[in-house]
Amino acid sequence: MVGYLIQRLLGVALTLLVAAALIFFLLDVLPGDPARFMLGINASDESLAALRQQLGLDQPAIIRFGQWLTGLMTGDLGMSASQRAPIAELILDRMQLSLPLAFGALILSTLIGLPLGIFAAQHQGKPGDAGLMGLAQIGIAIPNFWFAMLLVVVFAVTLKWLPPGGFVPWAENPSAAFRALILPTIALALPQAAILARVMRTSLVDVARQDFIRTARAKGLSKSQALWRHGVRNALLPVLTIMGLQFAFLIAGTIIVENVFYLPGLGRLTFTAISARDLFVVRSALLVLVGLVVIIMFLVDLLYALVDPRLKKRATP
Amino acid sequence: MSLAKLEQLTVRFGDREVLSRLDLEIQPGAQVGLVGESGSGKSLTALTLMNLLPERAEVSGEIGFSFDQRTKIDAAQLGEDLNFPYRGAQIGMVFQEPMTALNPLMRTGDQIGEVLALHRPENNTKAHIEALLAEVDLPAHMRTRYPHELSGGQRQRVGLAMALAGEPALLIADEPTSALDMITQRGVIDLIKRIARERKMALLFISHDLGAVAALCDQIYVLEKGKLVEHGPSQAILQSPQQAYTKRLVAAAKPTPRPAFTRTKSATPLLQVNGLTRQFRQRRWLWQRPSPVTAVDAATFELHAGETLGLVGPSGCGKTSLSRMIAGLDPAQAGEVHFDGHRFGHKQGSMPRAARREISMVFQDPFGSFDPRMRMRDALFEPLHLMPELSAEQRQERVTEAIERVGLSTDMLGRYPHAFSGGQRQRLAIARAMVLKPKLMILDEPVSALDVSIRGDVLALLHDLQEKFGMAYLFISHDLDVVRTVTDRVMVMNHGQIVERGKVDDVFDRPQAEITKKLLDARLTILG
């Protein structure tokens, strides 16, 4: 198991390095000079050159890449030109919103999606199944920005139960911060829950046809006992894979949802930094997003090895 | 008084009647065999007794049990809602598929413990689970193993321990050994026999294999297409079968005298295999040196035109690996093959195209070896791309000839594989191998997946084809009786090595190698 962990961690590190290189060099070939952007169109060539030197932009790309990597390790990512604040601080600040949002949505979609999928599989072919899967189909088809606006109209504007947008830092008012995240989390989670419900149902229906379920029933278990005790865990394996992949979409979804709810999160930071051509912020924020996804994938792999003894066998001597 | 009794049991799926008015009776402690070919309804009979029929089945008739008390169930009431306390308790069941019948994510001990928790909670202890494992000849530490860590035979034993855990008065075994190799099969059958005697347990043993049934049962029921053909004491059924169908089954199960499967021998061998070796490299870690596992170790033999050479051995001995290298499907790590003036060796893809079209293969599984989305016509034409010189008419002729040779007609060719029966599909597989008119055909267990009555037909077909076209056969099988019937010479493999070879009668009558003796001992014949 330890060996498996080390192997996977090496994989994580390598993925991050490749992602960092891709982000850095892709942004580097984009047109636009950060120094000119900071100083404005009328800046003199001398001051431009001076700033470029100060920012290290006159050095070769590979050196700047190395500097950025060291910065990532030490937490010194430089200053944001558009926000006039240290980039590391900006990102950490925004994470306190985006992390709870993404993980909250992940947990909520699991809590909704899996039980519904199991229920549908147990009632396969019956009205409950058809109804749920119909709803799931709609859930998948609805774009989440539209769903987010619908939530705002109903729960914030009409019913006035929850704030329509904005965010109060946790430190100032935890309950207000929590309330501010409820609608965005739901907006983000429901389409994912719909996908999970479908995947869970299909997977469990597949497993229910397998021989070991028949064996379990031959032991004297009822159909639903056999499904719960032997089916669900086996059916979870493909679902876990999908959950890992979905997290990337959740992260992408935060950018949209944060904009709809006017939340100062990592997604919005990236979005505004792109509009402001603040490439230093963009590359670091992007890498943090990639890092989140990679870490989740890593956790999924670990979970896989925990759930499925066949993998452990292959991975450990 | 009978322990379990089926009266006028009829099972329908829609308008298809799969079991018709079946009467069957099992006395306490009796060993009853249920014999029939695929589709005869024998598994459905077992599922009825377990109340595990698929929901869409329409059932009528009566089922009676007398375990603790006498009960009579109207078969129409069977289903999930029926209060049916016997499953797993008074009736235990073992299934055919050792690979898939156990939950892959659960330790074997826990899977056995589950039965105890349901029916014998007072016995749900580590000691009792280990005692059950010991009863099926498994060591105590198997308790903590997962199914994938066990061999097929071991898994089947775990399945048996699970079925025994509820202390059943009736054990149903549905083809429990059909997926196992001969030696393992014999072990499991002897085990079931011993346990049934020791526990004074009734047994319903379902099999297509009369030999296995004869070894275990004192009564036999013969089913054909859902109807009871004949039943009675084993001796009577096997020695003087009354019905034509039973006679056919018995005849097919007896080792038949050899037909003249012999032809003229040429001076130079058609196929000469020199030191052919196949290794798999297994690597645990990226940085570790891979340790080679040798599947075939320096195989050397020759095969003459028109000859049939048998290749036998226990599962995993390297038979299939060897044949795949000769057919050019797998690379070899050392050695070379001389075939019909071509020479090719240990490089993948080194097999010349001209040699490729002279060697065809027929595989065991008539279901898996056809692309389900390809019409039969296309599947049969496909090998002909190796003969670009043929015109369209010549191709058509080739396919027509092949299809007629195997006893089927060309108007079936528009169908997809699923529309054919197992026997038809194996004929089509032979036809597909035939269209190239190869000089060598590799037959990898060509009849093992077929019902006994069809087996004879397919073997006869192979015989005819060889007479007419003079092809050489490399005939791979675990069934020694079949090998004896069809081959001239035989080679025995074990652990990747050819350990014995010679004239088939010499080898089988005076076996030298330990494994040959073991294989011969494991045979279950209805004469013995």
Side-chain angles (χ1 to χ4, degrees), chain A residues 257-273:
Chain A
V257 168
E258 282 172 10
N259 270 303
V260 174
F261 287 96
Y262 210 73
L263 298 172
L266 208 53
R268 250 181 83 78
L269 176 71
T270 315
F271 187 72
T272 48

Side-chain angles (χ1 to χ4, degrees), chain A residues 1-73:
Chain A
M1 194 68 199
V2 179
Y4 178 72
L5 257 173
I6 294 171
Q7 216 169 9
R8 300 299 319 172
L9 276 172
L10 281 177
V12 167
L14 198 69
T15 313
L16 282 178
L17 189 69
V18 172
L22 256 165
I23 291 171
F24 183 89
F25 291 105
L26 276 180
L27 289 181
D28 205 59
V29 297
L30 284 182
D33 177 355
R36 166 149 331 255
F37 196 83
M38 282 176 187
L39 293 177
I41 294 184
N42 300 324
S44 68
D45 285 351
E46 293 82 51
S47 49
L48 252 181
L51 184 65
R52 289 177 63 91
Q53 196 179 5
Q54 190 196 334
L55 292 173
L57 288 176
D58 52 341
Q59 284 170 329
I62 190 76
I63 305 258
R64 282 182 287 125
F65 180 57
Q67 284 167 344
W68 181 46
L69 285 187
T70 349
L72 284 168
M73 309 280 183

Side-chain angles (χ1 to χ4, degrees), chain B residues 296-324:
Chain B
V296 178
D297 191 1
T300 300
F301 67 92
E302 43 189 59
L303 174 59
H304 290 266
E307 188 190 20
T308 302
L309 175 63
L311 182 56
V312 301
S315 57
C317 70
K319 309 186 287 273
T320 297
S321 294
L322 176 58
S323 67
R324 288 179 63 89

Side-chain angles (χ1 to χ4, degrees), chain A residues 125-264:
Chain A
K126 294 183 185 146
D129 175 31
L132 268 177
M133 285 306 111
L135 275 181
Q137 195 68 54
I138 296 172
I140 294 170
I142 289 178
N144 54 13
F145 67 88
W146 183 85
F147 185 58
M149 290 191 290
L150 187 75
L151 286 177
V152 171
V153 169
V154 175
F155 293 99
V157 178
T158 313
L159 295 170
K160 296 197 189 332
W161 289 352
L162 292 162
F167 186 69
V168 191
W170 294 93
E172 276 174 39
N173 187 342
S175 84
F178 181 76
R179 281 164 53 83
L181 286 184
I182 291 178
L183 287 184
T185 307
I186 294 174
L188 208 49
L190 276 190
Q192 305 292 334
I195 296 175
L196 276 187
R198 282 194 72 94
V199 176
M200 184 72 211
R201 174 192 176 273
T202 312
S203 176
L204 193 54
V205 165
D206 261 5
V207 168
R209 285 196 211 107
Q210 294 197 7
D211 293 330
F212 62 82
I213 297 292
R214 191 186 54 191
T215 309
R217 297 206 58 206
K219 288 174 175 180
L221 295 174
S222 72
K223 210 173 189 172
S224 65
Q225 278 174 322
L227 267 190
W228 272 105
R229 291 200 204 170
H230 295 272
V232 171
R233 208 170 142 206
N234 277 285
L236 271 178
L237 294 174
V239 176
L240 264 180
T241 313
I242 300 285
M243 277 171 68
L245 293 174
Q246 268 190 322
F247 191 74
F249 288 95
L250 273 181
I251 294 279
T254 56
I255 299 182
I256 296 163
V257 168
E258 282 172 10
N259 270 303
V260 174
F261 287 96
Y262 210 73
L263 298 172

Side-chain angles (χ1 to χ4, degrees), chain B residues 383-435:
Chain B
L384 288 172
H385 80 272
L386 286 168
M387 309 185 107
E389 71 277 11
L390 291 187
S391 69
E393 293 89 65
Q394 283 171 315
R395 279 162 200 254
Q396 184 61 53
E397 256 168 49
R398 284 279 182 122
V399 169
T400 309
E401 186 186 356
I403 200 84
E404 280 166 3
R405 284 278 177 223
V406 300
L408 296 170
S409 89
T410 45
D411 49 316
M412 295 172 160
L413 288 181
R415 297 192 212 157
Y416 286 97
H418 67 84
F420 293 90
S421 72
Q424 285 176 326
R425 254 185 269 196
Q426 205 59 323
R427 285 166 184 277
L428 287 163
I430 294 169
R432 178 173 58 180
M434 283 270 312
V435 291

Side-chain angles (χ1 to χ4, degrees), chain A residues 76-113:
Chain A
D76 176 16
L77 297 173
M79 293 288 286
S80 155
S82 58
Q83 312 253 350
R84 309 272 168 208
I87 294 174
E89 213 170 275
L90 271 175
I91 289 177
L92 279 179
D93 193 46
R94 301 301 181 94
M95 293 252 267
Q96 61 160 319
L97 188 154
S98 293
L99 277 188
L101 181 58
F103 281 98
L106 186 67
I107 292 165
L108 187 65
S109 63
T110 311
L111 288 182
I112 299 172

Side-chain angles (χ1 to χ4, degrees), chain B residues 126-138:
Chain B
K126 194 177 130 195
H128 194 82
I129 291 171
E130 289 179 355
L132 280 165
L133 286 171
E135 191 176 353
V136 296
D137 293 337
L138 288 176

